[in-house]
Amino acid sequence: MQVYDAPLRDMRFVLDELHQDDGFGGIPALEEFTPDLTSAVLEEAARFSREVLAPINRSGDEEGCHFENGVVRTPEGFKEAYKQFAEGGWTSLASDPEWGGQGLPEAVSKLVEEMSCSANLSFGLYPGLSHGATTAIEGHASEDLKRIYMPKLVSGEWCGTMCLTESHCGTDLGLLRTRAVPQDDGSYRVTGSKIFISAGEHDLTDNIIHLVLARLPDAPKGVKGISLFLVPKYLPKDDGSIGPSNGVACGAIEHKMGLKASATCQMNFDDSTGWLVGEPNKGMAAMFTMMNAERVSVGIQGLGVGEAAYQSAVWYAKDRLQGRSLSGVKNPGGPADPIIVHPDVRRMLMTMRAYNEGCRALSAWVSRALDAEKHSPDPEVKQRAADFTALMTPVVKALFTDLGHESAHLAVQCYGGHGYIRESGVEQYARDARIAMIYEGTNGIQALDLVGRKLGAHTGRYLRSFFHPVANFIEENSGEGPMKPMIDGLARAFGALQLSTATIAQRGLSDPEEAGAAASDYLRLLGLVAMAYCYARATKIAGLKLLFGTDEKAFYDAKIKTATFFFERILPQTAALFLQIKAGKRSMMALDQDAF
Amino acid sequence: MQVYDAPLRDMRFVLDELHQDDGFGGIPALEEFTPDLTSAVLEEAARFSREVLAPINRSGDEEGCHFENGVVRTPEGFKEAYKQFAEGGWTSLASDPEWGGQGLPEAVSKLVEEMSCSANLSFGLYPGLSHGATTAIEGHASEDLKRIYMPKLVSGEWCGTMCLTESHCGTDLGLLRTRAVPQDDGSYRVTGSKIFISAGEHDLTDNIIHLVLARLPDAPKGVKGISLFLVPKYLPKDDGSIGPSNGVACGAIEHKMGLKASATCQMNFDDSTGWLVGEPNKGMAAMFTMMNAERVSVGIQGLGVGEAAYQSAVWYAKDRLQGRSLSGVKNPGGPADPIIVHPDVRRMLMTMRAYNEGCRALSAWVSRALDAEKHSPDPEVKQRAADFTALMTPVVKALFTDLGHESAHLAVQCYGGHGYIRESGVEQYARDARIAMIYEGTNGIQALDLVGRKLGAHTGRYLRSFFHPVANFIEENSGEGPMKPMIDGLARAFGALQLSTATIAQRGLSDPEEAGAAASDYLRLLGLVAMAYCYARATKIAGLKLLFGTDEKAFYDAKIKTATFFFERILPQTAALFLQIKAGKRSMMALDQDAF
């Protein structure tokens, strides 16, 4: 059974307690958003997720999207839910008030995103993609375009998309063929076919605004010849109402492993009118603006599904009676004990829990940095926050989606045979979560981004935004005391990370394939260290609370126990990753292509 | 695209070369099956898999099974394929000639099983379950029952099933409620409902023979009160033809994540006539006879899907052009290089390859032991072989299915966005492979079987059947030389395994939850060491071949490179597993049930 109730207490912990001294300081522009206010937002979002989004998750998966004569219809209930979502202001939480947004911190908005991903990942894609498109327009489009499109996108009256992939090119966008021909009035005629366009066509909004990568005539070859265009489904009239259709057609929707209530469209642009967003041939820069925002969000999709999978597994593990506890009968009145008593079931539940709380803690830290990057009055802080988000964006995207997928499969495993049956709902989590490891840049591409672009940038400056606080924390907290085993564990894993970094930097200089060969293991190593750091800090905070007295003993006690499990049962993965990285590319690249 | 051609060269390697000096010696009863003869069988099986089974794998997944008015119809092509399968003698390869079988070695039969699992896992379930049922009848039924049922089951004219699970009990069969009431004529009336019955009802054969766990009146509670019954769908007449129907009805088929062409049935027995198989109240013993045979087969399902996933991923990685090699352009005439040039793609391909070849090598060793257990003239060898298969059965089941599932997901990842689309065929592998981690005892149950039943049995005698050859091999091959890094790696991992064994034995004595907490990690650790041992032996054989000259340089060279990759990039997982085992149960069991 799909069970989900937003983990509000843990959300308030990462928002209000965990990262208050993370070095990004207070942000005056966001001070009006007090804990009382943000708690109210989170509680309302929790209610909305539980009452509106979750109930149409399973039915959406069964029904899927419909495609007839170019028209896409979302599953029953989605249109009404979207209407409520937009009316409730959920599309505009962190958007700029200039365009009608509410200007809330990203740190709050990302928690709300997590909730909708938990409750209904397919649904979340529609406003999610729109958010990416809005970010690109806000960052790169002309004032005219912003004036026309931003208010309607921010309000959710219209949706946006990102049209990048073509059938022969996904990762390697340099190969793309869609063409844009300039017109006398400053607009362009865009022609080409795109695939895998999430929310490319649907019945949730009256208009859909496509951001399309295309080539200008005589553009340079490769990625240096790509420009970004805004192409609406219907051309807006001067009064903002919908005008004539614009040669944009959905040719088909894909039949996918999961995420079936999200329409994944083949989109055809046939002399469609569009407008340039950003500079000619600089489309990749504008694209990366939306892509980077999306990548953090995709990471949060992994966390969201992982949390729902965890809760659903806990429900089952308490409900399902099977076997007796190895340490003596726990449910003497029943025919058997609930399976939560069995160590191997605990192993799975604790693993999911430790992944989720660790991801949430790291995500909150990155969100704080996103806010500091946008709003901090201190240029040094702003820069450091930007460095940190640049470094962590691929980590959040790849690690969280890997772990979310693992969690979903652990939940299936907890259900045994029942988990394989569609009715149980947990196999949907596993199918839905799978795409997040692929889209917005496969996790392998994220790892290459980390080692290829981020590690060496500005002679390691991005990396220092992460290494410095960790090193300082270890130094400040070393010595005897109850934290010692954890600090030792963190120091050991951090040492492995530093050594791995040096190895990659050194080998990668003379042979970029060495960096490529280490990339995926390195990303996971770095991410696990970051989670360990968050857990160590959380333990310190929780320990102090317990020491000085608190009404919430159970919460802080559980936090320390989960952290301990993470250190004892998850962090050891870093030992293997270190050895794998050290082995280098040799055996990986040894086999002739013909020998495969 | 689903691509599969049986890896015949590697199969011949594990069959004819790798395990010839494994200590089980020659088996006179099987000497007639020369390499020439078994090669011919394997080649014909490869053709059958490629030409008959593989072409209906994708279509079977799309169409699924049909259920109308109690009648189950398999997807198009399955009935015809099954007819050819049975006529070709593929149901009876390793069966006893007394019943019409061909008496081939298990070592050959298991390779043929691997092929059908690669080509079409759903199809393989129909004869596969039949094989388990046949094993139980052969081992425990009366001569009368054998005479009636064995020939038709061995020939494939009829199919068999295993009816264990009920809706409220899977792992904990002690809770089952199906009843059997003795009749004056020595038969029983069986009444009850079973779920998750693979091949419970279908249109492939005229009759279906169910092996049903049920309780006699006044049977003791729990697993000690379970008996096994043979219940045919139609009662056979004296001449062996089909007589009246027997109150056996299919109530529904399940809608599952995958394996859609395999009918998973809810079966209702309503005063159905059955006969006792084995002793009253000793049904679990008879059930374990079929279950153990099935568990090895399920492990091979994992390998089979992993191999097909690997081949499909290799095909795509050579075909898909995207990006340029980091070490210089490799396909100057094309718009981009094939993605197989990229280290991270290589990482995925090599991981799948190393898993598959390692599983195949270990599986062949276990199959040799199955043959020695059945046919060796030497009682000491027979016992040692039985010990070894008892130890390795849970390892093969759980490790191979875990790795097969990992491989299937790596294949999806190699395909990028295209892998998430049903049309590509690779996501089917991921969905199909998922069930193998669950059925015939979840992988957690396998791990408990290993640490709880197998480790301590006869003061560690089962374990010695594995530890002795490994220790001897390390001793015989230590010292300077080209094998040194590999022998060192094996010795290190083996040392971790020995230490872990001692830790579990010691802690488990006073606290069985400690053994439970270590079980899953220990199973993987033991399995990886077993694969490493096989790889080290394979490397030695390949090295000698290359030294003394061979026509097959490419094969042996690739074997050594794959082995090296396994040691450098997979075996380090044992470092993490060791630390996780060492951590014990503490943090796993610390959290109060209410805190979840």
Short mmCIF file of all heavy atoms in Angstrom, two decimals, chain A residues 170 172 255 257 322-323 327 344 346 409 413 420 422 431 434 437 513 520 568-569 580 584 586 591, chain B residues 170 172 255 257 322-323 327 344 346 409 413 420 422 431 434 437 513 520 568-569 580 584 586 591:
data_model
loop_
_atom_site.label_atom_id
_atom_site.label_comp_id
_atom_site.label_asym_id
_atom_site.label_seq_id
_atom_site.Cartn_x
_atom_site.Cartn_y
_atom_site.Cartn_z
N GLY A 170 21.20 13.02 -27.23
CA GLY A 170 20.73 13.35 -25.90
C GLY A 170 21.87 14.01 -25.14
O GLY A 170 21.96 15.23 -25.03
N ASP A 172 24.92 14.28 -26.18
CA ASP A 172 25.77 15.03 -27.11
C ASP A 172 24.92 16.00 -27.92
O ASP A 172 24.63 15.77 -29.10
CB ASP A 172 26.48 14.03 -28.02
CG ASP A 172 27.53 14.71 -28.88
OD1 ASP A 172 27.66 15.96 -28.81
OD2 ASP A 172 28.22 14.00 -29.64
N HIS A 255 5.68 5.05 -24.47
CA HIS A 255 5.26 4.03 -23.51
C HIS A 255 6.48 3.67 -22.68
O HIS A 255 7.46 3.16 -23.19
CB HIS A 255 4.70 2.82 -24.26
CG HIS A 255 3.50 3.20 -25.07
ND1 HIS A 255 3.55 3.40 -26.43
CD2 HIS A 255 2.22 3.49 -24.68
CE1 HIS A 255 2.34 3.77 -26.85
NE2 HIS A 255 1.53 3.84 -25.81
N MET A 257 8.60 2.64 -18.84
CA MET A 257 8.68 1.72 -17.71
C MET A 257 7.80 2.20 -16.55
O MET A 257 7.17 1.41 -15.85
CB MET A 257 10.13 1.65 -17.26
CG MET A 257 10.39 0.72 -16.09
SD MET A 257 12.13 0.81 -15.60
CE MET A 257 12.33 -0.78 -14.81
N GLN A 322 4.63 -12.57 10.22
CA GLN A 322 5.32 -13.67 9.56
C GLN A 322 6.55 -14.04 10.39
O GLN A 322 7.45 -13.22 10.59
CB GLN A 322 5.76 -13.20 8.15
CG GLN A 322 5.88 -14.30 7.14
CD GLN A 322 4.53 -14.75 6.57
OE1 GLN A 322 4.50 -15.51 5.64
NE2 GLN A 322 3.41 -14.31 7.11
N GLY A 323 6.57 -15.26 10.90
CA GLY A 323 7.72 -15.71 11.69
C GLY A 323 7.74 -15.09 13.09
O GLY A 323 6.90 -14.25 13.44
N SER A 327 14.71 -13.02 19.11
CA SER A 327 15.00 -12.72 20.51
C SER A 327 13.77 -12.95 21.38
O SER A 327 13.64 -12.37 22.46
CB SER A 327 15.50 -11.28 20.64
OG SER A 327 14.51 -10.38 20.20
N ASP A 344 16.97 -8.62 9.28
CA ASP A 344 17.19 -8.30 7.87
C ASP A 344 16.15 -7.30 7.35
O ASP A 344 16.44 -6.51 6.45
CB ASP A 344 17.19 -9.57 7.01
CG ASP A 344 17.89 -9.32 5.69
OD1 ASP A 344 19.11 -9.04 5.72
OD2 ASP A 344 17.23 -9.37 4.64
N ARG A 346 14.85 -4.98 9.37
CA ARG A 346 15.41 -3.74 9.97
C ARG A 346 16.52 -3.15 9.12
O ARG A 346 16.63 -1.94 8.94
CB ARG A 346 16.00 -4.06 11.35
CG ARG A 346 15.01 -4.27 12.42
CD ARG A 346 14.46 -2.94 12.87
NE ARG A 346 13.43 -3.16 13.85
CZ ARG A 346 13.41 -2.59 15.05
NH1 ARG A 346 14.33 -1.72 15.40
NH2 ARG A 346 12.44 -2.85 15.88
N HIS A 409 13.63 -0.15 -4.30
CA HIS A 409 13.77 -1.59 -4.44
C HIS A 409 13.84 -2.30 -3.08
O HIS A 409 13.38 -3.43 -2.95
CB HIS A 409 14.97 -1.94 -5.31
CG HIS A 409 14.62 -1.89 -6.77
ND1 HIS A 409 13.80 -2.80 -7.36
CD2 HIS A 409 14.96 -1.00 -7.74
CE1 HIS A 409 13.64 -2.50 -8.64
NE2 HIS A 409 14.33 -1.41 -8.89
N GLN A 413 11.37 -5.25 -1.75
CA GLN A 413 11.89 -6.45 -1.10
C GLN A 413 11.21 -6.70 0.25
O GLN A 413 10.92 -7.84 0.60
CB GLN A 413 13.42 -6.32 -0.94
CG GLN A 413 14.15 -7.62 -0.66
CD GLN A 413 14.12 -8.59 -1.84
OE1 GLN A 413 13.88 -8.19 -2.98
NE2 GLN A 413 14.37 -9.86 -1.58
N TYR A 420 5.79 -7.34 -5.75
CA TYR A 420 5.91 -7.47 -7.20
C TYR A 420 4.57 -7.27 -7.91
O TYR A 420 4.49 -7.17 -9.12
CB TYR A 420 6.48 -8.85 -7.52
CG TYR A 420 7.08 -8.99 -8.91
CD1 TYR A 420 8.21 -8.25 -9.27
CD2 TYR A 420 6.54 -9.86 -9.85
CE1 TYR A 420 8.77 -8.38 -10.53
CE2 TYR A 420 7.10 -10.00 -11.11
CZ TYR A 420 8.21 -9.25 -11.45
OH TYR A 420 8.77 -9.37 -12.70
N ARG A 422 1.29 -5.20 -8.87
CA ARG A 422 1.03 -3.77 -9.07
C ARG A 422 0.14 -3.18 -7.98
O ARG A 422 0.33 -2.04 -7.56
CB ARG A 422 0.39 -3.54 -10.44
CG ARG A 422 1.37 -3.78 -11.58
CD ARG A 422 0.70 -3.59 -12.93
NE ARG A 422 0.29 -2.22 -13.11
CZ ARG A 422 0.89 -1.35 -13.92
NH1 ARG A 422 1.91 -1.75 -14.64
NH2 ARG A 422 0.46 -0.13 -14.03
N ARG A 431 9.60 1.70 -10.43
CA ARG A 431 9.57 2.07 -11.85
C ARG A 431 9.65 3.58 -12.04
O ARG A 431 10.32 4.07 -12.93
CB ARG A 431 8.30 1.51 -12.51
CG ARG A 431 8.34 -0.01 -12.73
CD ARG A 431 7.12 -0.51 -13.48
NE ARG A 431 5.90 -0.44 -12.68
CZ ARG A 431 4.93 0.45 -12.82
NH1 ARG A 431 5.00 1.37 -13.77
NH2 ARG A 431 3.88 0.43 -12.04
N ARG A 434 13.15 5.12 -11.46
CA ARG A 434 14.24 4.73 -12.36
C ARG A 434 14.66 5.83 -13.32
O ARG A 434 15.85 5.97 -13.65
CB ARG A 434 13.83 3.47 -13.14
CG ARG A 434 14.94 2.87 -13.99
CD ARG A 434 16.09 2.43 -13.10
NE ARG A 434 17.25 1.97 -13.83
CZ ARG A 434 18.20 2.77 -14.30
NH1 ARG A 434 18.11 4.09 -14.16
NH2 ARG A 434 19.25 2.27 -14.90
N MET A 437 17.49 8.64 -12.60
CA MET A 437 18.93 8.38 -12.77
C MET A 437 19.39 8.69 -14.19
O MET A 437 20.59 8.65 -14.49
CB MET A 437 19.22 6.91 -12.45
CG MET A 437 18.92 6.53 -11.01
SD MET A 437 18.58 4.75 -10.86
CE MET A 437 20.24 4.09 -11.00
N GLU A 513 41.04 10.12 -19.42
CA GLU A 513 40.28 8.89 -19.21
C GLU A 513 40.40 8.39 -17.78
O GLU A 513 39.51 7.69 -17.29
CB GLU A 513 40.72 7.79 -20.18
CG GLU A 513 40.17 8.00 -21.58
CD GLU A 513 40.41 6.82 -22.50
OE1 GLU A 513 41.30 5.99 -22.19
OE2 GLU A 513 39.74 6.75 -23.53
N SER A 520 32.27 8.03 -11.40
CA SER A 520 31.05 7.60 -10.70
C SER A 520 31.34 7.21 -9.25
O SER A 520 30.58 7.54 -8.34
CB SER A 520 30.40 6.42 -11.44
OG SER A 520 29.69 6.91 -12.56
N GLU A 568 27.86 3.20 10.78
CA GLU A 568 28.30 1.81 10.92
C GLU A 568 27.98 0.94 9.72
O GLU A 568 28.68 -0.05 9.47
CB GLU A 568 27.65 1.18 12.17
CG GLU A 568 28.16 1.80 13.46
CD GLU A 568 27.70 1.05 14.70
OE1 GLU A 568 26.91 0.09 14.59
OE2 GLU A 568 28.13 1.45 15.80
N ARG A 569 26.92 1.27 9.01
CA ARG A 569 26.42 0.34 8.00
C ARG A 569 26.38 0.90 6.58
O ARG A 569 26.19 0.15 5.63
CB ARG A 569 25.00 -0.10 8.39
CG ARG A 569 24.98 -1.03 9.60
CD ARG A 569 25.29 -2.45 9.16
NE ARG A 569 25.35 -3.38 10.27
CZ ARG A 569 25.38 -4.70 10.08
NH1 ARG A 569 25.34 -5.21 8.87
NH2 ARG A 569 25.48 -5.51 11.12
N GLN A 580 38.43 1.14 -5.39
CA GLN A 580 38.06 1.09 -6.81
C GLN A 580 38.65 2.28 -7.57
O GLN A 580 39.13 2.14 -8.69
CB GLN A 580 36.53 1.07 -6.95
CG GLN A 580 35.95 -0.28 -6.50
CD GLN A 580 34.48 -0.25 -6.14
OE1 GLN A 580 34.04 -1.01 -5.29
NE2 GLN A 580 33.71 0.63 -6.75
N GLY A 584 42.31 2.72 -10.79
CA GLY A 584 42.54 3.42 -12.05
C GLY A 584 41.80 2.82 -13.23
O GLY A 584 40.96 1.94 -13.08
N ARG A 586 42.97 1.13 -15.85
CA ARG A 586 43.62 0.05 -16.60
C ARG A 586 42.67 -1.09 -16.97
O ARG A 586 42.41 -1.35 -18.14
CB ARG A 586 44.81 -0.48 -15.79
CG ARG A 586 45.84 -1.22 -16.61
CD ARG A 586 46.88 -1.87 -15.71
NE ARG A 586 46.24 -2.70 -14.69
CZ ARG A 586 46.70 -3.88 -14.28
NH1 ARG A 586 47.84 -4.33 -14.80
NH2 ARG A 586 46.08 -4.57 -13.36
N LEU A 591 39.99 -4.11 -22.42
CA LEU A 591 39.42 -5.01 -23.42
C LEU A 591 39.23 -4.30 -24.76
O LEU A 591 38.67 -3.21 -24.80
CB LEU A 591 38.07 -5.52 -22.90
CG LEU A 591 37.62 -6.91 -23.28
CD1 LEU A 591 38.66 -7.95 -22.90
CD2 LEU A 591 36.30 -7.22 -22.59
N GLY B 170 3.83 -16.53 3.36
CA GLY B 170 4.77 -16.87 2.31
C GLY B 170 5.99 -17.48 2.95
O GLY B 170 6.17 -18.70 2.99
N ASP B 172 6.57 -17.68 6.13
CA ASP B 172 6.19 -18.41 7.33
C ASP B 172 5.10 -19.42 7.01
O ASP B 172 3.93 -19.23 7.31
CB ASP B 172 5.70 -17.41 8.39
CG ASP B 172 5.48 -18.07 9.74
OD1 ASP B 172 5.65 -19.31 9.85
OD2 ASP B 172 5.14 -17.34 10.68
N HIS B 255 -1.55 -9.05 -11.70
CA HIS B 255 -0.94 -8.03 -12.55
C HIS B 255 0.37 -7.62 -11.91
O HIS B 255 0.39 -7.07 -10.83
CB HIS B 255 -1.89 -6.86 -12.72
CG HIS B 255 -3.16 -7.30 -13.37
ND1 HIS B 255 -4.32 -7.53 -12.66
CD2 HIS B 255 -3.44 -7.62 -14.66
CE1 HIS B 255 -5.26 -7.95 -13.49
NE2 HIS B 255 -4.75 -8.02 -14.70
N MET B 257 4.73 -6.46 -11.92
CA MET B 257 5.73 -5.52 -12.43
C MET B 257 6.33 -6.02 -13.74
O MET B 257 6.61 -5.23 -14.65
CB MET B 257 6.83 -5.40 -11.38
CG MET B 257 7.92 -4.42 -11.72
SD MET B 257 9.22 -4.49 -10.44
CE MET B 257 9.93 -2.86 -10.62
N GLN B 322 27.74 9.17 -29.77
CA GLN B 322 27.47 10.29 -28.86
C GLN B 322 28.78 10.71 -28.20
O GLN B 322 29.40 9.93 -27.48
CB GLN B 322 26.46 9.82 -27.79
CG GLN B 322 25.60 10.90 -27.20
CD GLN B 322 24.40 11.30 -28.09
OE1 GLN B 322 23.59 12.05 -27.68
NE2 GLN B 322 24.32 10.83 -29.34
N GLY B 323 29.18 11.94 -28.45
CA GLY B 323 30.41 12.44 -27.83
C GLY B 323 31.66 11.85 -28.48
O GLY B 323 31.58 11.00 -29.37
N SER B 327 40.37 10.10 -25.26
CA SER B 327 41.75 9.84 -25.69
C SER B 327 41.91 10.04 -27.19
O SER B 327 42.82 9.49 -27.79
CB SER B 327 42.14 8.41 -25.30
OG SER B 327 41.31 7.47 -25.96
N ASP B 344 33.01 5.60 -18.44
CA ASP B 344 31.89 5.26 -17.56
C ASP B 344 30.97 4.21 -18.20
O ASP B 344 30.36 3.42 -17.48
CB ASP B 344 31.09 6.51 -17.18
CG ASP B 344 30.29 6.26 -15.91
OD1 ASP B 344 30.91 6.02 -14.85
OD2 ASP B 344 29.05 6.27 -15.98
N ARG B 346 32.18 1.89 -20.27
CA ARG B 346 33.00 0.69 -20.05
C ARG B 346 32.82 0.13 -18.64
O ARG B 346 32.77 -1.07 -18.45
CB ARG B 346 34.50 1.04 -20.20
CG ARG B 346 34.94 1.23 -21.58
CD ARG B 346 35.10 -0.11 -22.27
NE ARG B 346 35.47 0.11 -23.64
CZ ARG B 346 36.51 -0.44 -24.24
NH1 ARG B 346 37.27 -1.29 -23.57
NH2 ARG B 346 36.78 -0.18 -25.48
N HIS B 409 19.78 -3.24 -14.63
CA HIS B 409 19.68 -1.79 -14.46
C HIS B 409 20.88 -1.06 -15.07
O HIS B 409 20.76 0.07 -15.55
CB HIS B 409 19.48 -1.42 -12.99
CG HIS B 409 18.05 -1.51 -12.59
ND1 HIS B 409 17.09 -0.65 -13.07
CD2 HIS B 409 17.39 -2.39 -11.81
CE1 HIS B 409 15.92 -0.97 -12.59
NE2 HIS B 409 16.06 -2.03 -11.82
N GLN B 413 20.76 1.83 -17.92
CA GLN B 413 21.54 3.07 -17.80
C GLN B 413 22.38 3.30 -19.05
O GLN B 413 22.52 4.44 -19.50
CB GLN B 413 22.43 2.99 -16.54
CG GLN B 413 22.97 4.32 -16.06
CD GLN B 413 21.90 5.27 -15.52
OE1 GLN B 413 20.80 4.85 -15.19
NE2 GLN B 413 22.22 6.54 -15.45
N TYR B 420 14.49 3.69 -20.92
CA TYR B 420 13.27 3.79 -20.10
C TYR B 420 12.01 3.53 -20.93
O TYR B 420 10.92 3.39 -20.40
CB TYR B 420 13.21 5.18 -19.47
CG TYR B 420 12.29 5.29 -18.27
CD1 TYR B 420 12.54 4.57 -17.11
CD2 TYR B 420 11.18 6.12 -18.30
CE1 TYR B 420 11.71 4.67 -16.01
CE2 TYR B 420 10.34 6.24 -17.20
CZ TYR B 420 10.61 5.52 -16.05
OH TYR B 420 9.79 5.61 -14.95
N ARG B 422 9.65 1.34 -23.30
CA ARG B 422 9.39 -0.09 -23.41
C ARG B 422 9.93 -0.69 -24.70
O ARG B 422 10.43 -1.81 -24.73
CB ARG B 422 7.89 -0.37 -23.30
CG ARG B 422 7.36 -0.11 -21.90
CD ARG B 422 5.86 -0.35 -21.82
NE ARG B 422 5.54 -1.74 -22.05
CZ ARG B 422 5.16 -2.60 -21.11
NH1 ARG B 422 5.04 -2.19 -19.87
NH2 ARG B 422 4.88 -3.84 -21.40
N ARG B 431 12.54 -5.34 -15.14
CA ARG B 431 11.28 -5.73 -14.48
C ARG B 431 11.21 -7.23 -14.28
O ARG B 431 10.78 -7.72 -13.24
CB ARG B 431 10.08 -5.22 -15.28
CG ARG B 431 9.88 -3.71 -15.17
CD ARG B 431 8.61 -3.25 -15.89
NE ARG B 431 8.71 -3.34 -17.33
CZ ARG B 431 8.16 -4.28 -18.09
NH1 ARG B 431 7.43 -5.25 -17.53
NH2 ARG B 431 8.32 -4.29 -19.39
N ARG B 434 13.45 -8.67 -11.47
CA ARG B 434 13.18 -8.25 -10.10
C ARG B 434 12.58 -9.35 -9.23
O ARG B 434 12.89 -9.46 -8.05
CB ARG B 434 12.26 -7.01 -10.10
CG ARG B 434 12.06 -6.41 -8.72
CD ARG B 434 13.37 -5.91 -8.15
NE ARG B 434 13.29 -5.43 -6.79
CZ ARG B 434 13.36 -6.23 -5.72
NH1 ARG B 434 13.47 -7.53 -5.87
NH2 ARG B 434 13.33 -5.69 -4.52
N MET B 437 14.68 -12.06 -7.06
CA MET B 437 15.21 -11.75 -5.72
C MET B 437 14.20 -12.09 -4.63
O MET B 437 14.51 -12.03 -3.44
CB MET B 437 15.57 -10.27 -5.64
CG MET B 437 16.66 -9.86 -6.63
SD MET B 437 16.58 -8.08 -7.02
CE MET B 437 17.26 -7.40 -5.49
N GLU B 513 20.14 -12.88 16.87
CA GLU B 513 19.91 -11.67 16.07
C GLU B 513 21.21 -11.14 15.47
O GLU B 513 21.19 -10.45 14.45
CB GLU B 513 19.25 -10.58 16.92
CG GLU B 513 17.76 -10.84 17.11
CD GLU B 513 17.03 -9.67 17.76
OE1 GLU B 513 17.69 -8.80 18.38
OE2 GLU B 513 15.80 -9.65 17.67
N SER B 520 22.83 -10.93 5.28
CA SER B 520 22.84 -10.52 3.87
C SER B 520 24.24 -10.09 3.42
O SER B 520 24.68 -10.43 2.32
CB SER B 520 21.84 -9.38 3.62
OG SER B 520 20.54 -9.91 3.54
N GLU B 568 39.95 -5.84 -9.40
CA GLU B 568 40.25 -4.43 -9.12
C GLU B 568 39.01 -3.60 -8.83
O GLU B 568 39.09 -2.61 -8.10
CB GLU B 568 41.01 -3.81 -10.30
CG GLU B 568 42.40 -4.38 -10.45
CD GLU B 568 43.25 -3.63 -11.47
OE1 GLU B 568 42.72 -2.70 -12.14
OE2 GLU B 568 44.43 -3.98 -11.63
N ARG B 569 37.88 -3.98 -9.41
CA ARG B 569 36.73 -3.09 -9.38
C ARG B 569 35.49 -3.66 -8.70
O ARG B 569 34.55 -2.92 -8.43
CB ARG B 569 36.37 -2.69 -10.83
CG ARG B 569 37.38 -1.75 -11.46
CD ARG B 569 37.11 -0.35 -10.99
NE ARG B 569 38.08 0.62 -11.46
CZ ARG B 569 37.90 1.94 -11.36
NH1 ARG B 569 36.80 2.43 -10.84
NH2 ARG B 569 38.84 2.76 -11.77
N GLN B 580 30.85 -3.72 7.62
CA GLN B 580 29.44 -3.72 7.98
C GLN B 580 29.10 -4.92 8.89
O GLN B 580 28.35 -4.78 9.85
CB GLN B 580 28.58 -3.75 6.71
CG GLN B 580 28.62 -2.42 5.97
CD GLN B 580 28.23 -2.49 4.50
OE1 GLN B 580 28.75 -1.74 3.67
NE2 GLN B 580 27.34 -3.39 4.14
N GLY B 584 28.06 -5.29 13.67
CA GLY B 584 27.10 -6.01 14.50
C GLY B 584 25.68 -5.46 14.40
O GLY B 584 25.38 -4.62 13.56
N ARG B 586 23.93 -3.79 16.66
CA ARG B 586 23.56 -2.71 17.56
C ARG B 586 22.73 -1.60 16.90
O ARG B 586 21.56 -1.39 17.23
CB ARG B 586 24.81 -2.12 18.21
CG ARG B 586 24.56 -1.35 19.49
CD ARG B 586 25.83 -0.65 19.96
NE ARG B 586 26.37 0.18 18.89
CZ ARG B 586 26.93 1.36 19.06
NH1 ARG B 586 27.05 1.86 20.28
NH2 ARG B 586 27.40 2.06 18.05
N LEU B 591 16.54 1.21 17.15
CA LEU B 591 15.37 2.08 17.12
C LEU B 591 14.13 1.33 17.61
O LEU B 591 13.86 0.22 17.18
CB LEU B 591 15.15 2.54 15.67
CG LEU B 591 14.56 3.92 15.45
CD1 LEU B 591 15.39 5.00 16.13
CD2 LEU B 591 14.48 4.21 13.95
#
